[in-house]
Amino acid sequence: MSADQLSRVFAALADPTRREIVSTLALGDATLVELSEPHDMSVQAVSKHLRVLEDAGLVTRSRDAQRRPAHLEAEVFDLMTKWIERYRREAEQRYQRLDALLKETKPKRGAKR
Amino acid sequence: MSADQLSRVFAALADPTRREIVSTLALGDATLVELSEPHDMSVQAVSKHLRVLEDAGLVTRSRDAQRRPAHLEAEVFDLMTKWIERYRREAEQRYQRLDALLKETKPKRGAKR
DNA sequence: TTCCTCCTCAACCAAATGGTTGAGAACAAC
DNA sequence: GTTGTTCTCAACCATTTGGTTGAGGAGGAA
């Protein structure tokens, strides 16, 4: 929906550490310390990454005593794929039209608006 | 392929201005000034955005006198969709397995590695 | 109670990001 | 030639980002 959320989702996945977190969570929910173990950085740093994923709506967190298990929200991926597919399809169609055109005539691309 | 390029592609699309540029280019190649007109910022600023898209491999540029028409490269989108689809599918499968499991027994999630 | 684990908050820092202005190269047109 | 357009480069600035350390709250276990 909002351009803002789309921006946050793309920005969240632009970081390799956060993509690894996502790939871990795809295998099952996990706590902060569990998510931190594979990474060579402080727990606080991973906590910040998790927060970014949460703000983007890619991750939700529940409560289990002092633990806060993180859970991957797969639906948000659809936001991206829809956006991507739209422009990929347009670009491909345009490419095919151009291709067809080239087979007939030698067009002079009129650049003006 | 490289995690680096994937990071650059996601980062490039995290900005609304750059997404608008992509959506414009999906309709056809365009020069810098043409791309700048709709945006309330300097040509140099748009040039920087275009550079980011270029570095991510989303855009290529040709040469026409002093003009440098930008062209959208649709193939790069596949990089993203492949990455996304992979984890979306995993997460969905896991969800369905968990769902099936819940219908049989009451499982205690063993959090330890 | 005391102790240990999990997590968060705050302050700080260096580097990257997104914008600006000004100068100038390359080229077409007059 | 001069003039105007397109684009790039460099310097600068404010804000954001991605990390650190230190302190401390909440809660289970001894």
Side-chain angles (χ1 to χ4, degrees), chain B residues 43-107:
Chain B
V43 177
Q44 288 95 323
V46 177
S47 175
K48 283 192 184 180
H49 283 301
L50 207 47
R51 183 69 137 76
V52 173
L53 291 168
E54 216 179 339
D55 289 344
L58 281 159
V59 158
T60 55
R61 308 183 69 183
S62 49
R63 163 69 66 184
D64 170 25
Q66 73 271 54
R67 263 156 266 130
R68 308 261 337 260
H71 174 80
L72 188 62
E73 293 294 330
E75 311 86 54
V76 188
F77 286 138
D78 296 344
L79 245 177
M80 273 185 298
T81 45
K82 269 180 195 158
W83 189 90
I84 295 167
E85 275 310 302
R86 180 169 153 204
Y87 294 115
R88 198 182 60 80
R89 210 177 306 120
E90 273 184 41
E92 263 168 14
Q93 285 174 4
R94 191 178 64 80
Y95 177 76
Q96 284 169 10
R97 278 199 306 271
L98 182 66
D99 201 50
L101 214 75
L102 281 173
K103 277 173 183 149
E104 297 179 22
T105 162
K106 169 80 179 179

Side-chain angles (χ1 to χ4, degrees), chain A residues 4-110:
Chain A
D4 224 48
Q5 165 151 32
L6 197 51
S7 293
R8 279 195 297 264
V9 173
F10 277 124
L13 294 178
D15 186 279
T17 303
R18 287 194 290 263
R19 283 200 306 275
E20 275 190 43
I21 292 177
V22 166
S23 104
T24 301
L25 290 178
L27 304 174
D29 296 3
T31 67
L32 219 205
V33 284
E34 286 170 353
L35 289 171
S36 301
E37 278 161 7
H39 299 284
D40 193 23
M41 65 180 70
S42 69
V43 177
Q44 290 94 323
V46 177
S47 176
K48 283 193 184 180
H49 283 301
L50 208 47
R51 183 71 138 75
V52 172
L53 291 168
E54 216 179 338
D55 289 345
L58 281 159
V59 158
T60 55
R61 307 183 69 182
S62 49
R63 164 68 67 183
D64 170 25
Q66 73 271 57
R67 265 157 265 131
R68 309 260 337 260
H71 173 79
L72 188 62
E73 293 294 331
E75 310 85 54
V76 188
F77 286 138
D78 296 345
L79 243 178
M80 273 186 297
T81 45
K82 268 181 197 158
W83 189 90
I84 294 167
E85 276 309 303
R86 179 169 153 205
Y87 294 115
R88 197 181 61 80
R89 210 175 307 119
E90 274 186 40
E92 264 169 13
Q93 285 174 3
R94 191 177 62 83
Y95 177 76
Q96 285 167 11
R97 278 198 305 271
L98 183 65
D99 202 50
L101 215 76
L102 281 173
K103 276 171 185 148
E104 297 180 22
T105 163
K106 170 79 177 179
K108 183 66 197 152
R109 261 206 62 45

